[in-house]
Amino acid sequence: MKDTYRHQGMRNKLAETLQKKGISDRRVINAVKKIPRHLFMDSSFEDHAYQDKAFPIAASQTISQPYTVAFQTELLEIKRGAKILEIGTGSGYQTAMLLELGAAVYTIERQKELFKKTNLFLPKLGYKPKRMIFGDGYKGLAAEAPFDGIIVTAGAPFVPKPLMAQLKVGGKLVIPVGDEVQIMTLFTRKSPKEFEKYEFGEFRFVPLLEDKN
Ligand code: SAH
């Protein structure tokens, strides 16, 4: 696992690209400059790592586009120490971003192969989520609820009720909703019964799949 000045240079360029596309949160930009994205992908694809593109990883899944990761993270408005649940660990790149922002991260992945791989890989880079769980994100994580923020990194055909229920009052759920194309959607919990909903345009994710069992 190598990280060089050449990679650093490419990261700085990627960070500039994201700023031009409208990402303004300094902490998110600094995290993009810091996280060695090429190490989250197969080494033969190294040269693609710092383009602003999604890319295939194991088990027919993708590492999300850097712009998408930055955009979703910005919407969460994470404070240091915030308790964040991520659905869809995948490569762990988004997980690393949340950890760089000082969040206490709980992350769920339903593909065994990816779960195992990322579970071993993240700590090697010094990234330590509170918990990495092999399971079904549709259910959230009731045992650790409530959360300050929940981020879904796969396309959800509908908004799973448990995720709404597991938000603190004042908490935010960021979720791409739709089948072929998803609308990035933010829910803010105003009170135990009230949520405000905001929509932010179209994105494309691999699907949030129902439990195999
Ligand atoms: N944040 C990841 C995105 C990976 S793609 C990254 O940037 O690398 C979406 C991930 O969600 C895939 O790894 C997929 O296996 C996972 N996923 C799909 N349905 C899920 C579910 N019901 N529960 C948990 N994870 C799920």
Side-chain angles (χ1 to χ4, degrees):
M1 294 209 292
K2 257 196 357 201
D3 189 29
T4 65
Y5 283 116
R6 188 174 73 92
H7 295 117
Q8 183 61 63
M10 291 192 282
R11 279 203 286 285
N12 291 345
K13 282 222 176 87
L14 173 61
E16 253 176 54
T17 304
L18 298 186
Q19 280 178 305
K20 282 192 193 128
K21 290 185 179 178
I23 302 298
S24 60
D25 188 330
R26 287 298 321 168
R27 301 172 312 152
V28 172
I29 292 298
N30 287 338
V32 169
K33 289 184 183 167
K34 194 162 164 199
I35 306 170
R37 189 172 187 259
H38 63 288
L39 301 180
F40 290 72
M41 298 164 43
D42 195 285
S43 56
S44 46
F45 305 130
E46 228 194 10
D47 285 347
H48 298 268
Y50 296 107
Q51 296 173 7
D52 187 21
K53 286 186 182 153
F55 211 79
I57 51 173
S60 321
Q61 301 306 318
T62 55
I63 177 168
S64 297
Q65 184 181 346
Y67 174 75
T68 305
V69 174
F71 191 82
Q72 286 193 278
T73 307
E74 215 171 46
L75 286 181
L76 280 172
E77 296 185 272
I78 294 170
K79 297 199 175 74
R80 242 166 210 285
K83 199 171 174 184
I84 306 291
L85 175 65
E86 176 191 28
I87 312 296
T89 316
S91 68
Y93 182 78
Q94 172 75 68
T95 319
M97 169 82 65
L98 298 169
L99 290 165
E100 285 289 353
L101 269 64
V105 183
Y106 299 77
T107 182
I108 308 180
E109 172 58 53
R110 80 183 271 287
Q111 294 279 359
K112 191 82 180 233
E113 182 190 350
L114 273 175
F115 165 76
K116 279 193 190 157
K117 194 171 167 194
T118 304
N119 196 30
L120 289 175
F121 167 70
L122 277 179
K124 284 191 193 148
L125 290 187
Y127 291 119
K128 300 200 174 98
K130 289 279 177 208
R131 284 182 67 189
M132 296 182 75
I133 293 132
F134 171 60
D136 178 17
Y138 273 92
K139 300 191 183 86
L141 191 61
E144 303 284 355
F147 296 95
D148 296 296
I150 301 179
I151 174 170
V152 180
T153 72
F158 58 89
V159 182
K161 286 223 171 72
L163 301 187
M164 302 285 258
Q166 291 172 22
L167 269 188
K168 281 184 194 170
V169 170
K172 295 175 195 294
L173 167 64
V174 176
I175 181 168
V177 186
D179 293 317
E180 299 287 294
V181 175
Q182 295 85 33
I183 305 291
M184 190 61 74
T185 310
L186 166 69
F187 291 94
T188 306
R189 189 166 204 168
K190 291 288 166 193
S191 73
K193 290 210 171 134
E194 279 169 289
F195 292 84
E196 264 173 14
K197 179 179 170 183
Y198 309 85
E199 293 183 331
F200 296 91
E202 293 184 352
F203 289 78
R204 270 169 211 272
F205 287 80
V206 293
L208 185 69
L209 297 173
E210 304 261 13
D211 207 351
K212 282 181 280 193
N213 307 308

